[in-house]
Amino acid sequence: MDSSAPKPFQVSRPQRRTMLSRHFSSIVENLVGSGDSYAELSVERIITAGGISRSTFYSYFDDKGDLLVAMARDVIGDLVGVGHAWWDLSPDATKADLRRALRLPINTYRAHRTIFGAVVETAAYDARVREQQQSLIDQVVASLADHIAAAQKAGTADSTIDPKRGAQWTVWMLEHGLYQLVSSADETEVEQLLDAVTDMIWRIFYAGYRPEVG
């Protein structure tokens, strides 16, 4: 029998790292929710709460910053994924359609606001986390710029806006707004913030070029 053949249900090292990072995401969210910042958490406290041995932790993560990079990769993927609800809108999408599309990334951010908040705070002094944050921004900017350019070509967005720079300004404003405003808002305030950002984006890109209502 060939001992080198892959075993059924064998999990690769990258897959195991991803599984562990997802496991630790809920652990970290609970710990930070109790009042400590991510910077204040020790590896010992994280692995104890997660029921993982020190040797297992260091087999997959260099340190606490590396764990955050892994956790951020998952939640960033979720955020980028739901962002397509905006830039995949049809050319005749209304303002109400835009509001529904923008709700998805807001809901995703709120669900993972502890991890996203840790990314923002840790990026100030950890280059690995900063690169992960920049990766999120770059992906969203590129997709939004493509959407703006396509809408301009179709005559459904303001043609005077520079797609790339317009996307950069918009995404960075949204990134800071999510962190500063949405993360700590209650349900009522979130609805009002969603109304405000929908109105702002509609006026910047689509007003006069798309139907206000269906």
Side-chain angles (χ1 to χ4, degrees):
M1 182 176 180
D2 183 3
S3 61
S4 66
K7 297 179 176 60
F9 310 113
Q10 190 175 44
V11 178
S12 68
R13 179 181 175 80
Q15 289 172 321
R16 177 64 173 162
R17 176 180 161 96
T18 297
M19 291 168 61
L20 283 171
S21 72
R22 288 174 180 167
H23 169 71
F24 278 121
S25 290
S26 60
I27 300 300
V28 168
E29 285 170 356
N30 288 334
L31 290 173
V32 173
S34 68
D36 291 326
S37 69
Y38 189 74
E40 293 171 327
L41 295 178
S42 65
V43 169
E44 191 65 37
R45 189 174 175 195
I46 293 171
I47 62 177
T48 298
I52 302 295
S53 69
R54 175 176 287 273
S55 60
T56 297
F57 179 89
Y58 283 109
S59 292
Y60 294 94
F61 308 104
D62 295 337
D63 52 28
K64 191 174 65 173
D66 190 34
L67 170 62
L68 182 57
V69 167
M71 293 189 297
R73 183 175 292 116
D74 286 336
V75 297
I76 283 171
D78 290 344
L79 192 60
V80 171
V82 297
H84 284 275
W86 174 7
W87 37 85
D88 287 346
L89 284 172
S90 64
D92 60 347
T94 66
K95 190 175 181 179
D97 294 326
L98 175 64
R99 188 183 191 279
R100 282 190 289 270
L102 292 174
R103 174 181 288 281
L104 296 178
I106 286 177
N107 288 348
T108 299
Y109 187 93
R110 294 188 77 212
H112 301 293
R113 56 183 175 267
T114 299
I115 303 300
F116 283 118
V119 168
V120 172
E121 294 164 6
T122 309
Y125 58 84
D126 192 315
R128 296 165 301 177
V129 178
R130 187 161 56 250
E131 288 172 4
Q132 191 73 285
Q133 181 190 36
Q134 188 64 54
S135 173
L136 164 64
I137 297 299
D138 290 345
Q139 290 178 64
V140 177
V141 165
S143 295
L144 181 55
D146 288 344
H147 163 74
I148 295 169
Q152 289 173 327
K153 186 175 181 180
T156 58
D158 188 345
S159 62
T160 65
I161 295 172
D162 181 317
K164 179 181 177 180
R165 291 172 178 81
Q168 287 174 323
W169 271 109
T170 303
V171 171
W172 276 111
M173 285 190 293
L174 289 174
E175 191 270 347
H176 284 287
L178 288 170
Y179 177 64
Q180 295 288 346
L181 302 174
V182 172
S183 61
S184 59
D186 60 24
E187 295 293 338
T188 300
E189 179 63 15
V190 167
E191 292 299 316
Q192 293 176 338
L193 289 169
L194 178 56
D195 286 339
V197 74
T198 300
D199 189 57
M200 181 185 73
I201 290 173
W202 183 264
R203 289 173 182 273
I204 291 172
F205 295 112
Y206 310 117
Y209 300 90
R210 295 189 179 197
E212 188 89 8
V213 295

